[in-house]
Amino acid sequence: MPLLDPGERERWSRFRREDDRARYLAAHALKRIVVAGLLGMPAGALGFSAVCRRCGGAHGKPRLQEPAAAIEFSLSHSGERVVLAVARGGAELGVDVERLVPQRDRGSLAPAVLSATEQRVVAALPPARRPLALLRYWTRKEALLKATGDGLAVAPATLTVSAPDAPPALLSWTAETPLDAPAYLFDLSPGPGHVASLAILGARLAIVERAAGDRLLTGR
């Protein structure tokens, strides 16, 4: 808890469920430990801001305040996983992880999340495979919209990405807001029961996945 700033501690206190609090704390402590380690700074000294690129409100994409643009990062947590993506330089990142609950019916989300092409792909699958397919589509799109900073201000159904069992790629972007840079998508390996994707704008970087448990526990 001492690593978090007052705003993060206040947001942590709003969660009513203990597991939600634990995920939030693990995610934001890990963010500070890793970024501070890359910069050679104390984790508690880092400052972050979030400014919406549409309205200027304080609900936009989180960024490091100082040193400006030295590290790009994106954070997501769900179920028993926290995922942090970091990169040096100007590439924009977005990452998303979701817990897979096979018995949970997510079919009602399909029209809001999937383009017509994607809906046909999912409908052609056996029912048992549809939850994973829908979640794969969702994490790829959520990661991309986090990378652009648009979030759900851009309807996910206006994007079409590759089929769940195909290499991840953006196939079309029909949203009114233009996409200003090449987009690269990657499926991550968060372990059993979870699905995760990473989006990078501007440059295709090499991806290295690491388990962060030891780093989080030791604070290094």
Side-chain angles (χ1 to χ4, degrees):
M1 283 297 290
L3 292 178
L4 274 57
D5 65 28
E8 290 168 331
R9 289 196 291 270
E10 194 277 329
R11 287 190 291 275
W12 172 86
S13 70
R14 294 182 202 167
F15 292 105
R16 296 187 177 184
R17 296 175 52 188
E18 187 59 35
D19 55 348
D20 291 332
R21 287 187 173 196
R23 274 190 295 269
Y24 182 91
L25 178 58
H28 289 268
L30 180 64
K31 171 191 70 177
R32 287 181 169 275
I33 291 167
V34 172
V35 173
L38 291 171
L39 294 173
M41 297 174 59
L46 297 176
F48 299 93
S49 62
V51 179
C52 176
R53 72 170 187 164
R54 291 172 175 266
C55 69
H59 53 264
K61 184 178 181 180
R63 295 187 184 278
L64 184 66
Q65 289 178 332
E66 294 291 343
I71 296 291
E72 173 73 11
F73 70 91
S74 183
L75 190 62
S76 182
H77 46 89
S78 178
E80 298 179 353
R81 296 293 184 271
V82 165
V83 178
L84 171 70
V86 292
R88 294 185 184 275
E92 299 280 356
L93 303 181
V95 71
D96 186 55
V97 62
E98 299 291 341
R99 182 185 177 196
L100 175 62
V101 184
Q103 65 270 28
R104 182 178 176 185
D105 182 12
R106 297 176 182 262
S108 60
L109 297 176
V113 173
L114 305 182
S115 67
T117 298
E118 294 164 340
Q119 289 184 53
R120 288 192 292 269
V121 170
V122 172
L125 294 173
R129 293 180 56 193
R130 291 174 188 170
L132 176 58
L134 182 57
L135 212 55
R136 180 65 72 193
Y137 274 131
W138 171 257
T139 58
R140 290 175 179 176
K141 294 186 177 197
E142 175 73 359
L144 181 54
L145 293 175
K146 288 174 73 172
T148 64
D150 291 305
L152 295 181
V154 166
T158 62
L159 286 63
T160 298
V161 299
S162 52
D165 57 354
L170 175 65
L171 303 181
S172 71
W173 174 285
T174 60
E176 293 183 4
T177 304
L179 187 62
D180 298 329
Y184 303 95
L185 299 179
F186 303 86
D187 292 335
L188 304 179
S189 303
H194 297 77
V195 178
S197 297
L198 170 70
I200 304 176
L201 299 182
R204 187 179 183 91
L205 304 179
I207 306 301
V208 178
E209 294 186 66
R210 294 177 178 156
D214 291 343
R215 179 172 290 185
L216 182 59
L217 290 172
T218 62
R220 295 191 297 273

